[in-house]
Amino acid sequence: MTDLETRVAPPRPALLRRAAPALLGYAAVRALGLAALVVWSAARGKDAYTLLTARWDSLWYARVAELGYGYEVRLPNGDVHSDLAFFPLLPWLERLLHTVTPLSYADAGFAVSLVASLTAAAGVFAVADHVYGPLYGGRVGACAVLLWAVLPVGVVQSMAYSESLFTALAAWSLYAVLTGRWVSAGVLAALAGLTRPVGAAVVAAVWVAGAVGFVRERSLRHTPRAPARHRALGMLLAPLGAAGYVLWVGRRTGGGPFGYLDVQAGWRNGFDGGYAFARFVAGEFTSFPSVLAGIGLVTGVVLLIWWYLTGIRQRQPVELLVYTGVVLALALGASSYFGSKPRLLLPAFPVLLPLACALARLRTSRSVSLTAGLAVVSALYGAFWLNGSGPP
């Protein structure tokens, strides 16, 4: 397969028909995870729905939806936790649903995540099927969706968090780039930039793919697959969401263009290229049984890098490589709370595509059995995780 090669996209109804079995499988995995959470939570005297909608970041999003921005918590050590750290698209959608339906803000956040997670799964299928379908058939798209569903922290996809919403916007923006729909790609990238800081990864993918496309067409005298003005407009639109919010925060806080970084610093979030994370991992090797956690962390990072390099060797399209590389760099290189890293990596779905290809090559009975086993493990781990430390 060639990187940068854009094939004609099938009609959307045909794409959705092909994706239907994968989406049914995805829904089954998520239902299993929620059932496990309900049973586990009940055994511990906790309410599963509260864990999904009214703890950790979910509370911050719901508060922004209800009262707008301006709330902060000052900690005894001097840190300031401001709600300006949370990008606005999810709270806007929660407010909209609350306004037009009887749903509470927490209920609205849960509803958005349910719809967004299915939309994200469809986007993952579309990207995988477009890139690898000619070589492996429709199976690779289904395998990619199911692998994304059975990730150990896949339960976050059902929480009133922004990961599912962001992944949906990112996946469909990447698909739009792959199929030459540049204006749609730019609009979706702008919306992704209003959802999470890692929206920069989608912007980078649109920009790099657009720039490479211009250079390739000029140097090789290829016939443009999309009018140049459409590509330029998509590239222009892509950064508007993230840039608009960051500049608004800077003006509100008086910090100028770097005001948002000051807000993140109040949460002790920053980027140090992975130095703090490396120190944390090294610290896990100083005693037993924490050494087991250290081995698990090192293994996980090595696998992520290996799968990413495999994508390069398989000549994945440049937009996927850029997007995945930026997501991995921001997640692994951040100096924030290390328990958040697994969920911060959820949007990096293209890193699973080489694994999906391997799964697609197995006999159907073996791939189904393996996926079912992973789904059970994921469901149990998700229930244990949310009833314990959970995602901060």
Side-chain angles (χ1 to χ4, degrees):
M1 109 189 27
T2 59
D3 53 346
L4 301 178
E5 184 169 357
T6 303
R7 294 187 291 108
V8 176
R12 187 160 299 178
L15 175 63
L16 293 180
R17 281 197 300 272
R18 288 207 311 277
L23 296 182
L24 288 174
Y26 177 82
V29 172
R30 290 274 50 81
L32 176 63
L34 293 177
L37 178 63
V38 168
V39 173
W40 196 300
S41 300
R44 293 179 58 87
K46 295 183 179 181
D47 179 62
Y49 191 68
T50 299
L51 295 175
L52 292 169
T53 63
R55 290 195 66 188
W56 303 295
D57 290 3
S58 300
L59 294 173
W60 287 88
Y61 284 120
R63 187 181 183 92
V64 172
E66 180 179 6
L67 303 174
Y69 286 103
Y71 178 73
E72 62 183 28
V73 175
R74 294 185 176 273
L75 303 183
N77 65 356
D79 290 345
V80 178
H81 289 184
S82 168
D83 59 9
L84 292 171
F86 298 89
F87 277 51
L89 185 58
L90 177 57
W92 286 349
L93 294 175
E94 290 178 348
R95 180 179 296 180
L96 175 62
L97 270 184
H98 173 75
T99 301
V100 301
T101 69
L103 295 176
S104 68
Y105 292 105
D107 294 339
F110 183 65
V112 169
S113 288
L114 288 183
V115 174
S117 65
L118 282 171
T119 306
V124 171
F125 178 91
V127 170
D129 184 65
H130 183 84
V131 175
Y132 290 98
L135 293 178
Y136 298 97
R139 285 167 56 91
V140 71
C143 290
V145 169
L146 294 175
L147 284 174
W148 190 65
V150 302
L151 289 173
V153 294
V155 68
V156 175
Q157 297 162 13
S158 300
M159 296 180 67
Y161 270 44
S162 60
E163 273 76 12
S164 289
L165 178 60
F166 174 81
T167 304
L169 295 167
W172 284 107
S173 179
L174 292 170
Y175 181 72
V177 174
L178 287 167
T179 55
R181 297 182 172 101
W182 287 95
V183 176
S184 296
V187 171
L188 291 168
L191 292 173
L194 284 171
T195 307
R196 297 188 60 81
V198 74
V202 190
V203 176
V206 173
W207 277 5
V208 172
V212 171
F214 278 127
V215 171
R216 186 169 183 256
E217 288 166 0
R218 179 183 293 272
S219 62
L220 300 181
R221 301 184 183 278
H222 280 194
T223 301
R225 297 185 178 92
R229 63 181 182 277
H230 290 178
R231 184 178 296 171
L233 180 57
M235 295 172 68
L236 179 65
L237 290 170
L240 295 184
Y245 182 68
V246 168
L247 292 175
W248 178 80
V249 170
R251 181 175 181 182
R252 183 182 176 101
T253 61
F258 303 104
Y260 184 77
L261 297 180
D262 296 333
V263 170
Q264 287 284 10
W267 286 81
R268 292 188 180 265
N269 290 335
F271 184 84
D272 62 5
Y275 175 73
F277 183 47
R279 289 188 59 187
F280 172 79
V281 173
E284 295 295 292
F285 286 90
T286 59
S287 63
F288 188 87
S290 66
V291 66
L292 299 178
I295 294 173
L297 289 171
V298 171
T299 302
V301 172
V302 169
L303 285 175
L304 286 172
I305 296 173
W306 174 258
W307 291 333
Y308 181 68
L309 294 176
T310 301
I312 295 176
R313 290 195 297 271
Q314 292 179 348
R315 301 186 67 187
Q316 282 186 6
V318 66
E319 45 267 53
L320 297 190
L321 295 175
V322 170
Y323 168 78
T324 307
V326 174
V327 173
L328 293 178
L330 291 177
L332 297 177
S335 58
S336 56
Y337 178 63
F338 304 114
S340 299
K341 291 191 182 296
R343 70 174 178 88
L344 296 180
L345 289 165
L346 270 178
F349 70 90
V351 81
L352 298 173
L353 296 185
L355 194 59
C357 292
L359 187 62
R361 289 194 293 266
L362 299 178
R363 293 196 305 271
T364 300
S365 58
R366 291 190 63 186
S367 61
V368 169
S369 299
L370 179 59
T371 304
L374 291 174
V376 172
V377 173
S378 174
L380 293 175
Y381 179 78
F384 164 77
W385 190 46
L386 286 196
N387 278 277
S389 60

